[in-house]
Amino acid sequence: MNISRLHPTIAAALMVGSPMLVMAQTGATTPVELKAERQVVTRADQLPRRAYRLDRLPSELLAVPLDELKALGEQLEGHLAADLAAFDIQDNSTLREMFSARATLAQLRGDWAAVPGWTAKARVLQDKAGARLAGGVLTDLLAQQRQEQRDTAWLAGEVQRRYGAMPWADVQDIVKSSKGGIETYNPELVRGAFQSQLDVVARNGQMSVPDGVVAAIISARMQMELLGPNKAAVVQGLQAVVDANTQAGTREDIWTPRTFSIAPDAKASPVVVAVWDSGVDLALFQPAAARGLAFDDDARPVRDLLRPLGEAQARWPQLRSLVKGAMDQRAALDTADAQRLRSSLAGLKAEQVQAFSEDMNLAGLYVHGTHVAGIAVDGNPFAQVFAATMLWNHLSVPSKPSEARSRATAAAYKTMVQGFKDAGVRVVNMSWRYGPAAHESMMAFHSLGGTPEARKLEALRLFRIERDALRDAIAGAPDILFVSGSGNEDNSADFQDYIPAGLELPNLITAGAVDRAGRETSFSTFGKTVVVHANGFEVDGPVPGGDRLTLSGTSMASPQVANLAAKLLALKPELKPAQVRKLILDGADRLPGADGQPGRVNLIHPRRSAQLAGIAQAR
């Protein structure tokens, strides 16, 4: 999970240098005519930060005629062009965001003929098969519809034709999730999010905002302009593609045959697995003797190992249904829960969005840790769970970063790892990730840190206090194997500075996500620290109270690796973390990439790792 204290849409808007332009769903770029001498950029913090002055609140700008946004768009486009001319950016995901932004800004200008050129450039550097095929297609079709003055029937037919011609095995997840997202699109949700967060950012900054906010305004306004009147037609076309492939069958499952369970009567030893997450319902598991430790969002120790719902407890049945509905909707399953979600979203007014969003954030945090724990100990009757709980903020207003807060967080990390040592923990799963951009976003929200450039440097300084403490704590626990998830932003952990996924330590292993067929998911973050992959797509697991949900993310892949490590240690407790890590890596398969050559997916093979360890009890 991402530790960002903001609504995902708003967090993206506040990450300057990373334009959040929804309609331009595309990849990266090929070289264009740029200056011969450019500064090489290998890290996100090397990119400049800028501020823009608004004459109206962001939510008010959503309602103005497009002509009134063009001057703002020209400023943003000028800066994008200048950055591409000045910098040799060594990161495909950053480049694709920038070129996607150019596509959206072309839409704002009404230069419909220019849009496909930008989306085509953006697709070239997409190395995931589905995104390379489907990226920018809807953007292109909406531009073509405007340019040729076509009706909605034409659009529905073209959506069906274009997506239907793509290999279903490659694009089915994108088609289903796109349909689910567009089907639930409601401009009131966007207005409400803007009013509760971006308007506050503007007021706090005396109408001076980061460039990501400007990108979000233009993107949302173009979405209202282009997608709003065409929503039904797009959904109709995508639904036709889904329906046409209902008999296509599911992808081959190469994951399940790799897994194994330990028999209850096997010759094995208890193994303590810590789930460092948002809280665990220990009533569903065999708890460790020490049970766990917990800290609140300000890194103060608390007693709650399972996140309390507070006054939302009475709404839990409805919230649980909405969470399940969101997962079903993404998978294009027309269940009662998905119908309930669609009805709820369709009926929301702008003034109701903040409360609804906070409820959903709370529900997500409530289920996350328990779901992860269920994956980590599945098929291992000898596993005992230690709840390492972080009660992250679910509210729309984020916490205020400060040196005192970062030092408290650093101390909490050290205390938590010492707790692992004291409790005899052998494996720790960490399905969370953040970087200096999280601090930068929170500081931008509260207008802290001075100029955008000064804010960037201060955010980096505060983050490094926490990063160094976590790194030192993990390094100081050599008898424990730590497992982390890479992240869900489809970006490179080499370009961004992340913890724990960006750390390189002998007792840490970072996992990316694939589906059951071994295909890298569209969301999985990659990079040199992401050394293994596991199933993280539509994974079944428990939630507090004992019900089960299907969730996706590298949060679900990481505990698959922790699960393997815990089983190896239960069956062979004399193994050291370095040995377990080597067994996991040696047993993994380097799957072929799109070109048929060995790719970056290194899929773990639990049975093979057990065999390499000389374990015969795996079944």
Side-chain angles (χ1 to χ4, degrees), residues 311-601:
E311 54 86 24
Q313 183 68 56
R315 299 192 296 280
W316 169 237
Q318 292 78 23
L319 293 176
R320 179 181 57 207
S321 173
L322 290 172
V323 171
K324 183 177 183 299
M327 298 301 105
D328 291 348
Q329 182 71 16
R330 171 177 174 160
L333 299 174
D334 190 24
T335 63
D337 291 305
Q339 293 169 10
R340 192 173 295 113
L341 174 76
R342 292 197 299 269
S343 176
S344 297
L345 293 176
L348 277 181
K349 300 300 181 186
E351 61 271 16
Q352 300 171 311
V353 170
Q354 180 174 352
F356 180 85
S357 178
E358 290 179 350
D359 261 3
M360 292 299 288
N361 290 342
L362 176 62
L365 290 170
Y366 184 62
V367 306
H368 192 272
T370 300
H371 194 275
V372 166
I375 299 169
V377 303
D378 185 47
N380 187 353
F382 298 91
Q384 300 175 1
V385 176
F386 181 99
T389 298
M390 305 296 287
L391 298 177
W392 292 303
N393 183 14
H394 72 284
L395 300 176
S396 297
V397 177
S399 303
K400 292 183 177 182
S402 67
E403 181 169 341
R405 191 169 183 276
S406 286
R407 294 205 178 278
T409 299
Y413 289 162
K414 293 178 180 178
T415 300
M416 189 71 85
V417 174
Q418 183 60 50
F420 298 155
K421 295 179 186 178
D422 296 341
V425 169
R426 300 296 306 277
V427 181
V428 177
N429 185 80
M430 300 179 290
S431 286
W432 50 272
R433 190 198 74 172
Y434 71 101
H439 292 296
E440 196 172 348
S441 295
M442 292 187 285
M443 293 172 72
F445 184 98
H446 293 290
S447 193
L448 300 174
T451 66
E453 280 295 321
R455 180 183 298 140
K456 175 183 72 174
L457 296 176
E458 178 64 4
L460 189 60
R461 186 182 75 86
L462 296 180
F463 167 74
R464 285 174 174 168
I465 292 172
E466 300 170 23
R467 180 200 64 189
D468 294 350
L470 181 63
R471 182 191 58 216
D472 292 348
I474 293 175
D479 293 328
I480 301 173
L481 180 66
F482 292 78
V483 185
S484 70
S486 66
N488 303 323
E489 285 76 38
D490 185 27
N491 63 349
S492 172
D494 302 336
F495 192 71
Q496 304 286 343
D497 195 358
Y498 290 128
I499 57 172
L503 300 176
E504 294 184 86
L505 293 164
N507 60 331
L508 170 67
I509 189 166
T510 295
V514 296
D515 63 16
R516 287 176 177 268
R519 292 172 180 264
E520 188 177 20
T521 63
S522 60
F523 53 77
S524 185
T525 290
F526 44 87
K528 65 182 179 182
T529 61
V530 186
V531 293
V532 292
H533 292 76
N535 180 32
F537 188 74
E538 296 182 1
V539 181
D540 180 67
V543 297
D547 288 340
R548 300 186 73 84
L549 288 178
T550 298
L551 302 178
S552 297
T554 58
S555 285
M556 284 66 247
S558 174
Q560 306 274 15
V561 180
N563 177 290
L564 170 55
K567 285 174 179 172
L568 294 175
L569 288 166
L571 293 166
K572 229 178 167 179
E574 68 272 19
L575 289 171
K576 299 298 184 184
Q579 294 173 309
V580 174
R581 191 178 191 276
K582 187 174 188 302
L583 286 167
I584 293 171
L585 289 170
D586 287 350
D589 289 324
R590 181 68 64 179
L591 302 185
D595 57 1
Q597 299 300 311
R600 67 183 176 215
V601 170

